[in-house]
Amino acid sequence: MKFDPATSIQQLSAFGEFGGVNPSITDSSTYTFFKSESMKELFESEIEGCFLYSRHWNPSNKYLSDAISALENSEASQITSSGMSAIACTILQICQQGDQIISSRTIYGGTYAFFKNILPRYGITVKFVDIGNINDINDNINSKTKLIYCESISNPLLEVADISSLSKIAKKNTIKLVVDNTFSPMSITPINLGADVVIHSLTKFINGTSDCVAGSISSSKDFILNLSDVNSGMCMLLGPVLDSFRSASILKNIHTLHVRIKKHSKNAQFICEELERLGLKVMYPGLKSHPHHLLMKNMMNPQYGYGGILAIDLNEEKLAESLMEKMQEQNVGLLAVSLGYFKTLFSLPGNSTSSEISDEDQIKIGLSKGIIRISIGIDNNIKHSFDKMINCMKNLKILKK
Ligand SMILES: *Cc1c(COP(=O)(O)O)cnc(C)c1O
């Protein structure tokens, strides 16, 4: 049978104390042992079902990590307190002083700032490339290169990375391919396409309720064990542990992810086709006009669609700002950063999440100041929201009356 992330998650069964249908929530930072000897053993190597201290591992995060592994078809996963800590721990686990990273230049603003401003302080250099230019990537790989980094669908331009081709380059050079899959859970399964490490900001679609910040790292069992090693694991020693109560609530939300993703995608596809028909400049991988439409079509698990994120370019920043304010007034959605919420969210990536990228670099990568990024909600009647959106556009003379 072909891999299906939703079926894989549905197969999980973990019960709580007294047979509760949800696993019990760990309300402890530390764990007792009958014998001192067993504690010593656990310090040396992991023992299935045994816990030492909640920063190292705890049952709630273990349950959530199993669900993330089921989603991403990985051997194992680690849960972290944010997407950024998942990214930082992964990079620092793989790279040392003197090493080089090859990264897509269109990545999440926080990741870009970490790569550009923080890593060089520790002697790790980052070469930013156009991730669609395989020759450029090949040319930049040298003996110091440890990994290739990209997002499966990039923020905010919605470029799709050719994960299979990137994985071939990585394997040929025995380096790792690290993919941030935050924009496309369920739609894209990077490990099936050859990625070595998959990162999520659970804050977004996977949790889906915009009530907490969390992250995850999925990879081989070995790599995940390295991250929690008591002497050299970045997750263990930098300590970005997620609180159990949050972990438990994300685990419940992940069980409805497939239903939500299908609805996000369906709504976004509808909005994009209609807006494009009206002559607006729309970026969405589900549109035939998108340069990576076929690439995504070949990579994706088709039933989940092309995701809930789209961008429209109004060319002018002032106009984009007015439209967002109007749309919030008319209850189309909320003027807020982040994505994957059940309601529609919109923001200007040029000024907010990608503001870490300098104006000069923004022009270079085609990030116009008039781009609005929209995370479409799971509205039951998307036509209703669309009509309100159109009225706002007519009001501002973006569209003719
Ligand atoms: C939000 C986001 C992150 C950072 O995640 P946090 O949970 O906010 O730390 C990383 N990558 C992408 C693509 C994101 O959208």
Side-chain angles (χ1 to χ4, degrees):
M1 203 177 77
K2 242 181 121 172
F3 172 73
D4 172 39
T7 306
S8 166
I9 291 170
Q10 191 78 4
Q11 300 307 313
L12 295 169
S13 78
F15 299 98
E17 250 182 314
F18 313 110
V21 293
N22 291 304
S24 305
I25 301 174
T26 324
D27 198 23
S28 299
S29 58
T30 192
Y31 304 82
T32 58
F33 288 79
F34 286 118
K35 294 233 178 288
S36 175
E37 185 65 24
S38 337
M39 187 186 278
K40 200 171 136 212
E41 260 177 65
L42 195 53
F43 257 105
E44 280 154 12
S45 68
E46 194 164 338
I47 305 170
E48 186 78 34
C50 280
F51 296 90
L52 178 70
Y53 184 59
S54 277
R55 168 157 48 78
H56 178 240
W57 260 119
N58 64 70
S60 293
N61 285 343
K62 201 88 180 168
Y63 290 126
L64 180 57
S65 79
D66 287 344
I68 300 290
S69 298
L71 167 69
E72 288 301 349
N73 205 21
S74 68
E75 278 178 27
S77 299
Q78 172 80 41
I79 302 304
T80 62
S81 58
S82 68
M84 278 315 301
S85 61
I87 294 164
C89 287
T90 299
I91 301 296
L92 295 174
Q93 195 71 40
I94 300 172
C95 297
Q96 297 187 3
Q97 192 178 20
D99 288 344
Q100 194 213 42
I101 293 172
I102 293 181
S103 169
S104 163
R105 60 189 181 179
T106 49
I107 49 173
Y108 177 70
T111 314
Y112 182 81
F114 176 68
F115 284 5
K116 191 162 185 275
N117 305 330
I118 309 293
L119 288 180
R121 287 183 10 200
Y122 301 94
I124 299 164
T125 50
V126 184
K127 181 75 196 165
F128 292 101
V129 299
D130 170 0
I131 208 71
N133 187 338
I134 300 289
N135 288 335
D136 199 19
I137 296 167
N138 264 321
D139 290 349
N140 278 296
I141 292 179
N142 60 38
S143 61
K144 300 284 185 203
T145 310
K146 285 287 147 63
L147 64 95
I148 301 174
Y149 185 93
C150 69
E151 293 172 4
S152 20
I153 302 183
S154 81
N155 188 6
L157 296 171
L158 305 162
E159 292 171 325
V160 181
D162 183 349
I163 298 171
S164 307
S165 300
L166 292 170
S167 140
K168 285 195 190 101
I169 304 179
K171 291 210 163 44
K172 198 176 81 197
N173 292 282
T174 50
I175 60 176
K176 285 191 194 294
L177 174 63
V178 179
V179 180
D180 179 334
N181 198 29
T182 300
F183 273 35
S184 43
M186 300 228 155
S187 298
I188 297 178
T189 309
I191 287 189
N192 290 358
L193 302 164
D196 298 289
V197 183
V198 178
I199 290 171
H200 275 289
S201 165
L202 303 179
T203 316
K204 315 295 169 57
F205 287 103
I206 291 183
N207 186 44
T209 44
S210 288
D211 54 359
C212 73
V213 174
S216 68
I217 307 164
S218 300
S219 187
S220 65
K221 200 156 190 208
D222 272 352
F223 186 70
I224 298 304
L225 275 175
N226 289 344
L227 286 168
S228 60
D229 188 283
V230 290
N231 293 309
S232 59
M234 286 299 158
C235 288
M236 177 62 181
L237 300 175
L238 296 180
V241 64
L242 180 65
D243 182 78
S244 300
F245 285 87
R246 283 309 188 186
S247 188
S249 76
I250 299 171
L251 178 63
K252 281 170 280 201
N253 287 354
I254 210 175
H255 281 277
T256 58
L257 181 61
H258 59 295
V259 182
R260 291 185 280 117
I261 290 289
K262 285 179 190 179
K263 193 65 177 163
H264 281 295
S265 291
K266 200 170 166 216
N267 285 353
Q269 186 78 35
F270 171 80
I271 296 264
C272 288
E273 283 172 8
E274 293 296 315
L275 289 179
E276 189 173 58
R277 212 168 43 79
L278 292 169
L280 282 159
K281 191 172 164 197
V282 189
M283 284 155 276
Y284 183 66
L287 290 174
K288 290 201 176 71
S289 61
H290 189 280
H292 302 146
H293 175 67
L294 283 179
L295 173 62
M296 172 124 184
K297 197 171 175 182
N298 289 327
M299 290 200 319
M300 70 199 274
N301 302 316
Q303 49 175 319
Y304 300 104
Y306 294 84
I309 315 288
L310 63 103
I312 54 176
D313 191 354
L314 299 178
N315 295 313
E316 279 173 62
E317 184 175 351
K318 278 273 165 298
L319 194 58
E321 282 172 343
S322 307
L323 179 61
M324 291 194 301
E325 287 163 13
K326 261 252 146 21
M327 288 199 299
Q328 175 158 265
E329 226 174 77
Q330 296 301 313
N331 215 4
V332 174
L334 304 168
L335 203 179
V337 297
S338 199
L339 49 111
Y341 187 41
F342 47 74
K343 287 193 179 198
T344 296
L345 301 178
F346 32 79
S347 60
L348 295 188
N351 289 347
S352 53
T353 53
S354 299
S355 58
E356 293 87 345
I357 303 175
S358 73
D359 282 0
E360 193 188 318
D361 287 350
Q362 291 200 20
I363 294 166
K364 237 190 270 170
I365 62 179
L367 211 94
S368 136
K369 289 275 189 208
I371 293 183
I372 305 179
R373 185 190 69 196
I374 306 180
S375 168
I376 297 289
I378 52 176
D379 311 38
N380 186 44
N381 185 352
I382 196 64
K383 176 79 170 52
H384 181 65
S385 314
F386 173 73
D387 289 343
K388 286 193 287 187
M389 191 188 268
I390 293 305
N391 279 336
C392 296
M393 288 180 175
K394 284 182 177 164
N395 220 296
L396 292 166
K397 303 196 168 53
I398 296 165
L399 291 172
K400 285 199 200 73
K401 294 239 183 208

